[in-house]
Amino acid sequence: MPDNFIDFCLTHGRTRLYGPKQYLYFPGDEGNTLYFLLSGRIRLYLMGEFNEKIIRVLSPPVFFPEIVLDGRPYPHAALSMEETEVLALNRDTLIHFIERNPSSLWGFYKMLALDLRRSYRQIRNLSIGDARLRLGAKLYALAHVHGQQTPKGILITIPLSATELAGMCSLARESVSRILSELKDSNLIEIEKKNITVSDPQKLSQWIHDRSARSHSSSEQDQ
């Protein structure tokens, strides 16, 4: 984002602090605020009657939700995962700035394009029938976005339970637990409570590639 936009946000925005597991907004709430994540982590997810679907886990620096520009209600919920600090900016104030500084829209366009690409990738992964491939691809993506190098490999810095991973991959919790054990036995990951370390991202990537090739070959034979 350009410096004048950052200065504008710092001048007109309000800093808010959230403790762990506090909601910033719910689906259907009026979409009148844009948030800039300064510290901590935010989980975005869809809320159903009987289950939840995790869309993304956000780490700073990032603004959300990008779709607030259309002025419609929030389509998902936002929940703080830990001590979190955000800068909240009123939508009308933001629109007023954009109208006077249209070049600032490029930053939003780039973020929307990136988010759209993530959505396409997520749809592609969820359309794959192979549960192991779905979970493996999700772990690889999490290690890439939220990974930290350690002597044992790439630690996914977001503590994740089997239930939370199941929500990310649209799988049953029991299936996720079983597949995690298989990946651990294959020395592709290490698990310590809710902490998952990808031992070697290249090996996991190759495992995903090989399994995808086998899945594609099986699909062609069934046709």
Side-chain angles (χ1 to χ4, degrees):
M1 285 297 183
D3 291 339
N4 66 329
F5 179 70
I6 295 174
D7 292 339
F8 177 83
C9 293
L10 293 175
T11 301
H12 297 275
R14 304 180 308 279
T15 301
R16 297 179 183 176
L17 301 176
Y18 293 87
K21 297 184 179 180
Q22 284 190 307
Y23 286 96
L24 283 72
Y25 55 81
F26 291 93
D29 286 352
E30 185 178 355
N32 56 9
T33 305
L34 181 72
Y35 297 91
F36 295 83
L37 181 58
L38 304 177
S39 65
R41 287 195 178 89
I42 295 291
R43 184 172 67 187
L44 305 180
Y45 62 96
L46 299 173
M47 303 175 69
E49 185 176 357
F50 301 108
N51 53 31
E52 299 173 351
K53 166 62 181 168
I54 299 175
I55 304 171
R56 286 175 60 195
V57 175
L58 305 178
S59 295
V62 67
F63 63 83
F64 67 98
E66 301 92 335
I67 54 175
V68 75
L69 293 176
D70 67 5
R72 302 183 65 183
Y74 298 120
H76 54 250
L79 180 73
S80 60
M81 301 177 65
E82 56 194 51
E83 295 288 338
T84 297
E85 182 180 12
V86 300
L87 185 72
L89 184 67
N90 179 268
R91 176 187 174 274
D92 291 338
T93 302
L94 170 65
I95 295 299
H96 183 62
F97 174 85
I98 290 175
E99 288 174 345
R100 290 183 293 128
N101 301 271
S103 62
S104 63
L105 274 172
W106 281 112
F108 289 93
Y109 288 152
K110 290 178 181 178
M111 286 298 297
L112 285 169
L114 178 60
D115 197 42
L116 188 58
R117 285 184 181 275
R118 289 195 187 102
S119 298
Y120 287 153
R121 184 170 63 245
Q122 191 172 42
I123 292 171
R124 180 198 64 198
N125 290 339
L126 292 178
S127 67
I128 299 171
D130 191 320
R132 291 168 178 77
L133 186 55
R134 277 198 230 172
L135 182 56
K138 176 55 69 175
L139 291 174
Y140 182 83
L142 287 169
H144 177 71
V145 177
H146 302 283
Q148 176 182 318
Q149 184 68 53
T150 72
K152 294 183 178 180
I154 304 297
L155 170 67
I156 298 173
T157 57
I158 308 168
L160 291 168
S161 66
T163 300
E164 290 169 325
L165 280 170
M168 290 181 173
C169 302
S170 294
L171 296 171
R173 183 187 63 80
E174 295 76 11
S175 297
V176 169
S177 297
R178 183 174 62 255
I179 298 168
L180 287 175
S181 295
E182 292 176 7
L183 293 173
K184 182 179 179 181
D185 292 341
S186 300
N187 297 318
L188 291 171
I189 64 172
E190 291 191 15
I191 305 174
E192 185 176 350
K193 295 183 179 179
K194 289 187 176 182
N195 297 317
I196 300 175
T197 299
V198 176
S199 303
D200 186 334
Q202 287 295 100
K203 288 184 179 179
L204 179 58
S205 177
Q206 188 61 49
W207 180 87
I208 294 169
H209 176 77
D210 293 344
R211 190 161 193 93
S212 178
R214 290 198 299 271
S215 177
H216 182 68
S217 177
S218 299
S219 298
E220 288 182 341
Q221 292 176 5
D222 292 339
Q223 293 178 357

